[in-house]
């Protein structure tokens, strides 16, 4: 082992350099650079020696020097709709983790409003920061249209199931299959025996909401099935709560739906609260299934059946697609670079439909489920 060079410590000596790392690991300066910039091109045993030397010396990359040498900032921009929405915020966290593992810094720009003007301004700010590429985590129809119409000199990846997606040399798409997720939810309810099913849909300006609603309509387009649509004003539990209060009497009627597919888990949670207040028992009177699998859904009474999205895999796929375009090694694979499959999560909020005329006692249900 090469003796450790005299490097920085807390007493004012100079910080360790790339040459110090090379000397400690017994490799060349160029090999250290490859480990830092293109680790997949270096043998595993060599990478391990270099990374060990980096850890022992406390080496930190000189970001400014690297930017000058490579004409890259090692920073990616993320354009998103903010932290109030579970899906986008979970995707952003996954992208940040994937970016860090590849040695990138992350700059996040959240839209102040869900319109093309705000998106145009946010894109401009990210470009002005000198980011190497942008990942768009704003599954809004207007934003998707803007991104497709905006010619940027850097790679852009859109994490959305936009049915109108048109990939180009520097614009790629990755997504979770929203139609497949909606189909899982609705066909599960049909499999339980439900024939009158309602959908509480999300905002129509959102790609995800539009895709889930479209698939609900496709699956229910059968003569033996009856689909009902209850539009919600937003994605929040309060929106589901408002729909639940408005529709509770209809749910309890002889011809009301026996099951509800909520566009996301927060809407489903709001429905459960409203139904509890109005004396509608879940799943005795109506089954409820959500989408996304937010953590709190498992702890409701009853726990909420849902469709889980693989956000971690989505973040990894988005970062991989961006890196491939940057390297110029990625032919267009089709409309989407990656299409990820969601997963059905079965819990206590769904059951086969029951005779509406049966009593609570006959159902054997715990009376604590009603107010």
């Amino acid at each position: 082992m090469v003796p450790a060079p005299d490097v920085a410590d807390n007493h004012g000596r100079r910080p360790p350099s790339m040459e110090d790392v090379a000397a400690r690991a017994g490799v060349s300066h160029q090999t250290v650079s490859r480990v830092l910039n293109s680790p997949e091109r270096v043998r595993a045993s060599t990478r391990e020696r270099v990374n060990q030397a980096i850890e022992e010396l406390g080496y930190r990359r000189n970001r400014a020097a690297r930017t000058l040498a490579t004409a890259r900032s090692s920073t990616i921009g993320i354009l998103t709709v903010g932290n109030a929405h579970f899906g986008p915020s979970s995707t952003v966290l996954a992208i940040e983790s994937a970016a860090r593992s590849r040695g990138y810094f992350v700059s996040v720009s959240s839209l102040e409003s869900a319109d093309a003007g705000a998106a145009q301004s946010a894109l401009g700010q990210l470009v002005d920061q000198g980011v190497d590429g942008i990942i768009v985590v704003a599954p809004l129809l207007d934003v998707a249209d803007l991104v497709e119409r905006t010619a940027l000199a850097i790679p852009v990846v859109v994490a959305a199931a936009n049915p109108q997606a048109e990939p180009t040399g520097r614009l790629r798409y990755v997504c979770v299959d929203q139609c497949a997720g909606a189909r899982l939810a609705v066909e599960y309810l049909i499999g339980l025996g439900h024939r009158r099913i309602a959908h509480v849909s999300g905002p129509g300006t959102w790609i995800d909401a539009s895709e889930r609603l479209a698939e609900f309509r496709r699956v229910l387009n059968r003569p033996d099935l009856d689909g009902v649509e209850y539009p919600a004003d937003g994605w929040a539990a309060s929106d589901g709560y408002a729909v639940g209060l408005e529709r509770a009497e209809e749910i309890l009627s002889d011809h009301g739906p026996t099951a509800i597919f909520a566009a996301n888990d927060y809407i489903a949670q709001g429905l459960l609260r409203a139904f509890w207040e109005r004396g509608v028992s879940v799943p005795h009177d109506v089954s409820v299934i959500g989408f996304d699998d937010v953590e709190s859904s498992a702890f409701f009474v009853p726990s909420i059946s849902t469709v889980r999205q693989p956000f971690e895999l989505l973040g990894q796929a988005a970062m991989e697609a961006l890196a491939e375009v940057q390297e110029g090694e990625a032919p267009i694979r089709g409309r989407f670079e990656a299409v990820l499959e969601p997963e059905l999560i079965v819990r206590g909020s769904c059951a086969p439909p029951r005779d509406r005329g049966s009593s609570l006692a006959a159902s054997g249900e715990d009376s604590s489920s009603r107010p």
Side-chain angles (χ1 to χ4, degrees):
M1 178 69 71
V2 178
D6 185 21
V7 296
D9 59 16
N10 292 330
H11 301 288
R13 288 182 288 179
R14 66 177 179 81
S17 67
M18 192 179 294
E19 288 79 5
D20 297 328
V21 173
R24 172 65 68 93
V27 298
S28 68
H29 172 279
Q30 290 81 1
T31 298
V32 175
S33 178
R34 282 195 294 272
V35 169
L36 292 172
N37 298 312
S38 302
E40 69 281 357
R41 299 178 181 177
V42 182
R43 280 189 309 182
S45 58
T46 303
R47 286 202 311 269
E48 184 177 351
R49 287 210 319 276
V50 172
N51 287 328
Q52 183 178 351
I54 288 172
E55 183 177 350
E56 291 174 354
L57 295 176
Y59 171 73
R60 294 293 180 268
R61 306 173 77 175
N62 186 324
R63 186 178 177 188
R66 183 173 186 268
T67 298
L68 290 172
T70 65
R72 290 186 177 181
S73 65
S74 294
T75 301
I76 65 163
I78 301 177
L79 175 65
T80 186
V81 290
N83 295 325
H85 303 286
F86 179 78
S89 63
S90 298
T91 305
V92 168
L93 289 174
I95 292 170
E96 287 180 319
S97 176
R100 285 195 302 272
S101 70
R102 286 177 171 265
Y104 283 90
F105 299 90
V106 173
S107 177
V108 179
S109 180
S110 297
L111 295 178
E112 295 180 359
S113 59
D115 59 58
Q120 182 76 64
S121 175
L123 282 173
Q125 291 173 359
L126 290 173
V127 171
D128 289 344
Q129 291 176 25
V131 297
D132 295 331
I134 296 173
I135 300 178
V136 180
V137 190
L140 298 155
L141 294 169
D142 286 350
V143 174
D145 289 343
L146 170 71
V147 170
E148 288 201 354
R149 289 186 281 105
T150 303
L152 297 176
I154 57 176
V156 177
V157 173
V158 182
N162 181 12
Q164 307 302 321
E166 292 292 343
T168 64
R170 303 186 77 78
L171 174 63
R172 305 298 170 92
Y173 286 82
V174 298
C175 73
V176 176
D177 192 334
Q178 301 299 311
C179 289
R183 190 162 57 250
L184 282 173
V186 178
E187 289 184 346
Y188 171 63
L189 296 174
I190 294 171
L192 290 174
H194 295 280
R195 294 297 178 265
R196 298 189 304 278
I197 302 172
H199 178 46
V200 181
S201 56
T205 55
W206 284 66
I207 294 172
D208 294 354
S210 299
E211 289 291 279
R212 294 169 199 174
L213 174 59
E215 189 62 22
F216 171 80
R217 290 171 174 170
R218 279 191 288 267
V219 177
L220 270 292
N221 188 25
R222 285 171 32 184
D224 61 325
L225 300 175
D226 184 16
V228 183
E229 296 176 19
Y230 300 149
D233 291 333
W235 292 112
S238 58
D239 298 304
Y241 177 75
V243 172
L245 292 180
E246 180 183 357
R247 302 293 181 173
E249 185 174 347
E250 181 179 340
I251 296 295
L252 289 173
S253 70
D254 290 342
H255 300 290
T258 61
I260 297 176
F261 164 40
N264 76 351
D265 279 10
Y266 292 127
I267 290 174
Q269 292 173 5
L271 289 171
L272 261 62
R273 173 69 193 195
F275 290 161
W276 180 82
E277 291 182 7
R278 290 293 188 262
V280 180
S281 176
V282 178
H284 173 68
D285 295 320
V286 65
S287 290
V288 175
I289 188 169
F291 207 104
D292 283 340
D293 192 25
V294 305
E295 183 179 5
S296 54
S297 289
F299 299 95
F300 267 62
V301 178
S303 56
I304 299 174
S305 296
T306 187
V307 175
R308 176 181 296 160
Q309 299 199 68
F311 292 117
E312 183 175 352
L313 294 178
L314 181 62
Q316 293 172 0
M319 192 62 226
E320 181 176 345
L322 189 69
E324 287 182 349
V325 178
Q326 285 178 329
E327 297 298 328
E329 300 174 353
I332 297 175
R333 298 186 175 96
R335 177 170 291 181
F336 296 100
E337 291 292 295
V339 179
L340 306 175
E341 295 298 319
E343 176 187 2
L344 177 68
I345 304 298
V346 175
R347 297 193 179 108
S349 63
C350 295
R354 299 178 183 177
D355 182 357
R356 294 272 172 105
S358 65
S359 66
L360 178 63
S363 73
E365 184 179 5
D366 186 344
S367 61
S368 64
S369 66
R370 288 180 180 267

PDB file of all heavy atoms in Angstrom, residues 103-135:
ATOM      1  N   GLY A 103     -23.816  10.294  -8.760  1.00  0.00           N
ATOM      2  CA  GLY A 103     -22.901  11.408  -8.567  1.00  0.00           C
ATOM      3  C   GLY A 103     -23.442  12.749  -9.017  1.00  0.00           C
ATOM      4  O   GLY A 103     -22.660  13.680  -9.243  1.00  0.00           O
ATOM      5  N   TYR A 104     -24.752  12.881  -9.138  1.00  0.00           N
ATOM      6  CA  TYR A 104     -25.346  14.136  -9.571  1.00  0.00           C
ATOM      7  C   TYR A 104     -25.908  14.924  -8.390  1.00  0.00           C
ATOM      8  O   TYR A 104     -26.410  14.355  -7.416  1.00  0.00           O
ATOM      9  CB  TYR A 104     -26.499  13.884 -10.552  1.00  0.00           C
ATOM     10  CG  TYR A 104     -26.060  13.532 -11.952  1.00  0.00           C
ATOM     11  CD1 TYR A 104     -25.854  12.197 -12.325  1.00  0.00           C
ATOM     12  CD2 TYR A 104     -25.852  14.511 -12.912  1.00  0.00           C
ATOM     13  CE1 TYR A 104     -25.457  11.851 -13.606  1.00  0.00           C
ATOM     14  CE2 TYR A 104     -25.457  14.186 -14.203  1.00  0.00           C
ATOM     15  CZ  TYR A 104     -25.265  12.856 -14.539  1.00  0.00           C
ATOM     16  OH  TYR A 104     -24.870  12.536 -15.802  1.00  0.00           O
ATOM     17  N   PHE A 105     -25.841  16.231  -8.522  1.00  0.00           N
ATOM     18  CA  PHE A 105     -26.586  17.119  -7.647  1.00  0.00           C
ATOM     19  C   PHE A 105     -27.973  17.324  -8.253  1.00  0.00           C
ATOM     20  O   PHE A 105     -28.182  17.069  -9.443  1.00  0.00           O
ATOM     21  CB  PHE A 105     -25.884  18.467  -7.508  1.00  0.00           C
ATOM     22  CG  PHE A 105     -24.502  18.382  -6.924  1.00  0.00           C
ATOM     23  CD1 PHE A 105     -23.395  18.215  -7.748  1.00  0.00           C
ATOM     24  CD2 PHE A 105     -24.301  18.468  -5.556  1.00  0.00           C
ATOM     25  CE1 PHE A 105     -22.119  18.126  -7.233  1.00  0.00           C
ATOM     26  CE2 PHE A 105     -23.032  18.391  -5.024  1.00  0.00           C
ATOM     27  CZ  PHE A 105     -21.937  18.222  -5.860  1.00  0.00           C
ATOM     28  N   VAL A 106     -28.916  17.788  -7.434  1.00  0.00           N
ATOM     29  CA  VAL A 106     -30.291  17.965  -7.898  1.00  0.00           C
ATOM     30  C   VAL A 106     -30.769  19.368  -7.567  1.00  0.00           C
ATOM     31  O   VAL A 106     -30.563  19.869  -6.461  1.00  0.00           O
ATOM     32  CB  VAL A 106     -31.238  16.923  -7.248  1.00  0.00           C
ATOM     33  CG1 VAL A 106     -32.687  17.218  -7.610  1.00  0.00           C
ATOM     34  CG2 VAL A 106     -30.868  15.515  -7.704  1.00  0.00           C
ATOM     35  N   SER A 107     -31.407  20.006  -8.531  1.00  0.00           N
ATOM     36  CA  SER A 107     -32.055  21.299  -8.329  1.00  0.00           C
ATOM     37  C   SER A 107     -33.543  21.125  -8.638  1.00  0.00           C
ATOM     38  O   SER A 107     -33.904  20.745  -9.757  1.00  0.00           O
ATOM     39  CB  SER A 107     -31.445  22.364  -9.246  1.00  0.00           C
ATOM     40  OG  SER A 107     -32.118  23.599  -9.089  1.00  0.00           O
ATOM     41  N   VAL A 108     -34.382  21.369  -7.647  1.00  0.00           N
ATOM     42  CA  VAL A 108     -35.824  21.151  -7.798  1.00  0.00           C
ATOM     43  C   VAL A 108     -36.533  22.488  -7.960  1.00  0.00           C
ATOM     44  O   VAL A 108     -36.324  23.424  -7.179  1.00  0.00           O
ATOM     45  CB  VAL A 108     -36.399  20.399  -6.582  1.00  0.00           C
ATOM     46  CG1 VAL A 108     -37.910  20.200  -6.747  1.00  0.00           C
ATOM     47  CG2 VAL A 108     -35.702  19.051  -6.412  1.00  0.00           C
ATOM     48  N   SER A 109     -37.380  22.569  -8.969  1.00  0.00           N
ATOM     49  CA  SER A 109     -38.203  23.757  -9.198  1.00  0.00           C
ATOM     50  C   SER A 109     -39.663  23.334  -9.159  1.00  0.00           C
ATOM     51  O   SER A 109     -40.100  22.508  -9.965  1.00  0.00           O
ATOM     52  CB  SER A 109     -37.870  24.391 -10.551  1.00  0.00           C
ATOM     53  OG  SER A 109     -38.663  25.539 -10.768  1.00  0.00           O
ATOM     54  N   SER A 110     -40.412  23.882  -8.207  1.00  0.00           N
ATOM     55  CA  SER A 110     -41.827  23.528  -8.045  1.00  0.00           C
ATOM     56  C   SER A 110     -42.705  24.587  -8.694  1.00  0.00           C
ATOM     57  O   SER A 110     -42.476  25.792  -8.512  1.00  0.00           O
ATOM     58  CB  SER A 110     -42.181  23.411  -6.556  1.00  0.00           C
ATOM     59  OG  SER A 110     -41.447  22.374  -5.949  1.00  0.00           O
ATOM     60  N   LEU A 111     -43.686  24.139  -9.434  1.00  0.00           N
ATOM     61  CA  LEU A 111     -44.593  25.061 -10.109  1.00  0.00           C
ATOM     62  C   LEU A 111     -45.460  25.790  -9.090  1.00  0.00           C
ATOM     63  O   LEU A 111     -46.030  25.174  -8.191  1.00  0.00           O
ATOM     64  CB  LEU A 111     -45.499  24.302 -11.080  1.00  0.00           C
ATOM     65  CG  LEU A 111     -44.813  23.630 -12.263  1.00  0.00           C
ATOM     66  CD1 LEU A 111     -45.837  22.886 -13.108  1.00  0.00           C
ATOM     67  CD2 LEU A 111     -44.075  24.646 -13.107  1.00  0.00           C
ATOM     68  N   GLU A 112     -45.565  27.093  -9.243  1.00  0.00           N
ATOM     69  CA  GLU A 112     -46.423  27.872  -8.363  1.00  0.00           C
ATOM     70  C   GLU A 112     -47.889  27.718  -8.739  1.00  0.00           C
ATOM     71  O   GLU A 112     -48.778  27.884  -7.912  1.00  0.00           O
ATOM     72  CB  GLU A 112     -46.025  29.351  -8.428  1.00  0.00           C
ATOM     73  CG  GLU A 112     -44.616  29.621  -7.890  1.00  0.00           C
ATOM     74  CD  GLU A 112     -44.244  31.084  -7.968  1.00  0.00           C
ATOM     75  OE1 GLU A 112     -45.077  31.877  -8.464  1.00  0.00           O
ATOM     76  OE2 GLU A 112     -43.135  31.439  -7.533  1.00  0.00           O
ATOM     77  N   SER A 113     -48.146  27.399 -10.007  1.00  0.00           N
ATOM     78  CA  SER A 113     -49.503  27.144 -10.476  1.00  0.00           C
ATOM     79  C   SER A 113     -49.433  26.115 -11.591  1.00  0.00           C
ATOM     80  O   SER A 113     -48.402  25.976 -12.259  1.00  0.00           O
ATOM     81  CB  SER A 113     -50.178  28.429 -10.976  1.00  0.00           C
ATOM     82  OG  SER A 113     -49.423  29.008 -12.034  1.00  0.00           O
ATOM     83  N   ALA A 114     -50.533  25.392 -11.782  1.00  0.00           N
ATOM     84  CA  ALA A 114     -50.541  24.286 -12.734  1.00  0.00           C
ATOM     85  C   ALA A 114     -50.918  24.770 -14.130  1.00  0.00           C
ATOM     86  O   ALA A 114     -51.958  24.419 -14.673  1.00  0.00           O
ATOM     87  CB  ALA A 114     -51.503  23.195 -12.261  1.00  0.00           C
ATOM     88  N   ASP A 115     -50.054  25.596 -14.726  1.00  0.00           N
ATOM     89  CA  ASP A 115     -50.341  26.075 -16.072  1.00  0.00           C
ATOM     90  C   ASP A 115     -49.050  26.172 -16.872  1.00  0.00           C
ATOM     91  O   ASP A 115     -47.941  26.107 -16.339  1.00  0.00           O
ATOM     92  CB  ASP A 115     -51.064  27.425 -16.036  1.00  0.00           C
ATOM     93  CG  ASP A 115     -50.260  28.503 -15.311  1.00  0.00           C
ATOM     94  OD1 ASP A 115     -49.117  28.785 -15.719  1.00  0.00           O
ATOM     95  OD2 ASP A 115     -50.782  29.055 -14.324  1.00  0.00           O
ATOM     96  N   ALA A 116     -49.204  26.348 -18.187  1.00  0.00           N
ATOM     97  CA  ALA A 116     -48.052  26.354 -19.083  1.00  0.00           C
ATOM     98  C   ALA A 116     -47.131  27.536 -18.822  1.00  0.00           C
ATOM     99  O   ALA A 116     -45.913  27.417 -18.956  1.00  0.00           O
ATOM    100  CB  ALA A 116     -48.530  26.362 -20.531  1.00  0.00           C
ATOM    101  N   GLY A 117     -47.692  28.703 -18.446  1.00  0.00           N
ATOM    102  CA  GLY A 117     -46.858  29.872 -18.189  1.00  0.00           C
ATOM    103  C   GLY A 117     -45.894  29.643 -17.042  1.00  0.00           C
ATOM    104  O   GLY A 117     -44.707  29.976 -17.136  1.00  0.00           O
ATOM    105  N   ALA A 118     -46.402  29.056 -15.959  1.00  0.00           N
ATOM    106  CA  ALA A 118     -45.537  28.763 -14.816  1.00  0.00           C
ATOM    107  C   ALA A 118     -44.485  27.736 -15.189  1.00  0.00           C
ATOM    108  O   ALA A 118     -43.325  27.825 -14.767  1.00  0.00           O
ATOM    109  CB  ALA A 118     -46.387  28.264 -13.640  1.00  0.00           C
ATOM    110  N   ALA A 119     -44.871  26.749 -15.994  1.00  0.00           N
ATOM    111  CA  ALA A 119     -43.918  25.720 -16.408  1.00  0.00           C
ATOM    112  C   ALA A 119     -42.828  26.308 -17.296  1.00  0.00           C
ATOM    113  O   ALA A 119     -41.651  25.950 -17.177  1.00  0.00           O
ATOM    114  CB  ALA A 119     -44.645  24.598 -17.138  1.00  0.00           C
ATOM    115  N   GLN A 120     -43.195  27.223 -18.182  1.00  0.00           N
ATOM    116  CA  GLN A 120     -42.216  27.870 -19.057  1.00  0.00           C
ATOM    117  C   GLN A 120     -41.173  28.630 -18.240  1.00  0.00           C
ATOM    118  O   GLN A 120     -39.968  28.549 -18.489  1.00  0.00           O
ATOM    119  CB  GLN A 120     -42.923  28.832 -20.004  1.00  0.00           C
ATOM    120  CG  GLN A 120     -42.007  29.527 -20.992  1.00  0.00           C
ATOM    121  CD  GLN A 120     -41.578  28.619 -22.124  1.00  0.00           C
ATOM    122  OE1 GLN A 120     -42.402  28.167 -22.908  1.00  0.00           O
ATOM    123  NE2 GLN A 120     -40.290  28.321 -22.202  1.00  0.00           N
ATOM    124  N   SER A 121     -41.645  29.358 -17.231  1.00  0.00           N
ATOM    125  CA  SER A 121     -40.740  30.114 -16.374  1.00  0.00           C
ATOM    126  C   SER A 121     -39.821  29.183 -15.589  1.00  0.00           C
ATOM    127  O   SER A 121     -38.612  29.428 -15.478  1.00  0.00           O
ATOM    128  CB  SER A 121     -41.548  30.986 -15.412  1.00  0.00           C
ATOM    129  OG  SER A 121     -40.712  31.651 -14.492  1.00  0.00           O
ATOM    130  N   ALA A 122     -40.385  28.099 -15.050  1.00  0.00           N
ATOM    131  CA  ALA A 122     -39.584  27.170 -14.257  1.00  0.00           C
ATOM    132  C   ALA A 122     -38.538  26.471 -15.114  1.00  0.00           C
ATOM    133  O   ALA A 122     -37.389  26.273 -14.686  1.00  0.00           O
ATOM    134  CB  ALA A 122     -40.495  26.139 -13.590  1.00  0.00           C
ATOM    135  N   LEU A 123     -38.900  26.079 -16.339  1.00  0.00           N
ATOM    136  CA  LEU A 123     -37.926  25.462 -17.243  1.00  0.00           C
ATOM    137  C   LEU A 123     -36.779  26.422 -17.529  1.00  0.00           C
ATOM    138  O   LEU A 123     -35.606  26.035 -17.534  1.00  0.00           O
ATOM    139  CB  LEU A 123     -38.605  25.061 -18.548  1.00  0.00           C
ATOM    140  CG  LEU A 123     -39.443  23.782 -18.549  1.00  0.00           C
ATOM    141  CD1 LEU A 123     -40.170  23.630 -19.883  1.00  0.00           C
ATOM    142  CD2 LEU A 123     -38.579  22.558 -18.277  1.00  0.00           C
ATOM    143  N   GLY A 124     -37.128  27.691 -17.771  1.00  0.00           N
ATOM    144  CA  GLY A 124     -36.099  28.681 -18.041  1.00  0.00           C
ATOM    145  C   GLY A 124     -35.140  28.858 -16.881  1.00  0.00           C
ATOM    146  O   GLY A 124     -33.922  28.992 -17.072  1.00  0.00           O
ATOM    147  N   GLN A 125     -35.674  28.843 -15.664  1.00  0.00           N
ATOM    148  CA  GLN A 125     -34.821  28.989 -14.493  1.00  0.00           C
ATOM    149  C   GLN A 125     -33.849  27.824 -14.365  1.00  0.00           C
ATOM    150  O   GLN A 125     -32.669  28.014 -14.033  1.00  0.00           O
ATOM    151  CB  GLN A 125     -35.688  29.100 -13.237  1.00  0.00           C
ATOM    152  CG  GLN A 125     -36.475  30.400 -13.138  1.00  0.00           C
ATOM    153  CD  GLN A 125     -37.444  30.393 -11.976  1.00  0.00           C
ATOM    154  OE1 GLN A 125     -37.554  29.411 -11.238  1.00  0.00           O
ATOM    155  NE2 GLN A 125     -38.160  31.493 -11.804  1.00  0.00           N
ATOM    156  N   LEU A 126     -34.317  26.617 -14.638  1.00  0.00           N
ATOM    157  CA  LEU A 126     -33.442  25.451 -14.547  1.00  0.00           C
ATOM    158  C   LEU A 126     -32.344  25.514 -15.609  1.00  0.00           C
ATOM    159  O   LEU A 126     -31.177  25.225 -15.333  1.00  0.00           O
ATOM    160  CB  LEU A 126     -34.263  24.164 -14.697  1.00  0.00           C
ATOM    161  CG  LEU A 126     -35.186  23.819 -13.524  1.00  0.00           C
ATOM    162  CD1 LEU A 126     -36.061  22.619 -13.865  1.00  0.00           C
ATOM    163  CD2 LEU A 126     -34.376  23.519 -12.262  1.00  0.00           C
ATOM    164  N   VAL A 127     -32.719  25.889 -16.823  1.00  0.00           N
ATOM    165  CA  VAL A 127     -31.720  26.002 -17.893  1.00  0.00           C
ATOM    166  C   VAL A 127     -30.685  27.063 -17.537  1.00  0.00           C
ATOM    167  O   VAL A 127     -29.476  26.882 -17.749  1.00  0.00           O
ATOM    168  CB  VAL A 127     -32.404  26.333 -19.233  1.00  0.00           C
ATOM    169  CG1 VAL A 127     -31.357  26.662 -20.301  1.00  0.00           C
ATOM    170  CG2 VAL A 127     -33.271  25.170 -19.688  1.00  0.00           C
ATOM    171  N   ASP A 128     -31.126  28.182 -16.968  1.00  0.00           N
ATOM    172  CA  ASP A 128     -30.206  29.258 -16.583  1.00  0.00           C
ATOM    173  C   ASP A 128     -29.223  28.811 -15.501  1.00  0.00           C
ATOM    174  O   ASP A 128     -28.126  29.380 -15.382  1.00  0.00           O
ATOM    175  CB  ASP A 128     -30.989  30.476 -16.080  1.00  0.00           C
ATOM    176  CG  ASP A 128     -31.730  31.195 -17.201  1.00  0.00           C
ATOM    177  OD1 ASP A 128     -31.408  30.943 -18.371  1.00  0.00           O
ATOM    178  OD2 ASP A 128     -32.650  31.992 -16.898  1.00  0.00           O
ATOM    179  N   GLN A 129     -29.595  27.812 -14.718  1.00  0.00           N
ATOM    180  CA  GLN A 129     -28.695  27.290 -13.688  1.00  0.00           C
ATOM    181  C   GLN A 129     -27.607  26.402 -14.276  1.00  0.00           C
ATOM    182  O   GLN A 129     -26.688  25.994 -13.571  1.00  0.00           O
ATOM    183  CB  GLN A 129     -29.493  26.494 -12.653  1.00  0.00           C
ATOM    184  CG  GLN A 129     -30.413  27.326 -11.790  1.00  0.00           C
ATOM    185  CD  GLN A 129     -31.254  26.465 -10.858  1.00  0.00           C
ATOM    186  OE1 GLN A 129     -30.865  25.350 -10.518  1.00  0.00           O
ATOM    187  NE2 GLN A 129     -32.401  26.972 -10.436  1.00  0.00           N
ATOM    188  N   GLY A 130     -27.712  26.079 -15.554  1.00  0.00           N
ATOM    189  CA  GLY A 130     -26.700  25.252 -16.198  1.00  0.00           C
ATOM    190  C   GLY A 130     -26.838  23.775 -15.922  1.00  0.00           C
ATOM    191  O   GLY A 130     -25.838  23.043 -15.943  1.00  0.00           O
ATOM    192  N   VAL A 131     -28.067  23.296 -15.673  1.00  0.00           N
ATOM    193  CA  VAL A 131     -28.253  21.871 -15.398  1.00  0.00           C
ATOM    194  C   VAL A 131     -27.927  21.061 -16.650  1.00  0.00           C
ATOM    195  O   VAL A 131     -28.039  21.542 -17.782  1.00  0.00           O
ATOM    196  CB  VAL A 131     -29.700  21.577 -14.931  1.00  0.00           C
ATOM    197  CG1 VAL A 131     -29.993  22.293 -13.629  1.00  0.00           C
ATOM    198  CG2 VAL A 131     -30.725  21.972 -16.000  1.00  0.00           C
ATOM    199  N   ASP A 132     -27.505  19.816 -16.441  1.00  0.00           N
ATOM    200  CA  ASP A 132     -27.146  18.936 -17.553  1.00  0.00           C
ATOM    201  C   ASP A 132     -28.363  18.317 -18.220  1.00  0.00           C
ATOM    202  O   ASP A 132     -28.279  17.827 -19.345  1.00  0.00           O
ATOM    203  CB  ASP A 132     -26.225  17.813 -17.067  1.00  0.00           C
ATOM    204  CG  ASP A 132     -24.886  18.338 -16.571  1.00  0.00           C
ATOM    205  OD1 ASP A 132     -24.461  19.399 -17.074  1.00  0.00           O
ATOM    206  OD2 ASP A 132     -24.288  17.703 -15.696  1.00  0.00           O
ATOM    207  N   GLY A 133     -29.476  18.278 -17.529  1.00  0.00           N
ATOM    208  CA  GLY A 133     -30.702  17.700 -18.064  1.00  0.00           C
ATOM    209  C   GLY A 133     -31.838  17.976 -17.104  1.00  0.00           C
ATOM    210  O   GLY A 133     -31.621  18.415 -15.965  1.00  0.00           O
ATOM    211  N   ILE A 134     -33.059  17.723 -17.553  1.00  0.00           N
ATOM    212  CA  ILE A 134     -34.249  18.006 -16.743  1.00  0.00           C
ATOM    213  C   ILE A 134     -35.164  16.789 -16.744  1.00  0.00           C
ATOM    214  O   ILE A 134     -35.382  16.169 -17.796  1.00  0.00           O
ATOM    215  CB  ILE A 134     -35.008  19.229 -17.283  1.00  0.00           C
ATOM    216  CG1 ILE A 134     -34.154  20.496 -17.172  1.00  0.00           C
ATOM    217  CG2 ILE A 134     -36.334  19.431 -16.549  1.00  0.00           C
ATOM    218  CD1 ILE A 134     -34.771  21.717 -17.836  1.00  0.00           C
ATOM    219  N   ILE A 135     -35.694  16.461 -15.572  1.00  0.00           N
ATOM    220  CA  ILE A 135     -36.740  15.443 -15.452  1.00  0.00           C
ATOM    221  C   ILE A 135     -38.013  16.150 -15.016  1.00  0.00           C
ATOM    222  O   ILE A 135     -38.024  16.851 -13.995  1.00  0.00           O
ATOM    223  CB  ILE A 135     -36.354  14.338 -14.460  1.00  0.00           C
ATOM    224  CG1 ILE A 135     -35.078  13.633 -14.927  1.00  0.00           C
ATOM    225  CG2 ILE A 135     -37.495  13.327 -14.328  1.00  0.00           C
ATOM    226  CD1 ILE A 135     -34.587  12.541 -13.981  1.00  0.00           C
TER     227      ILE A 135
END
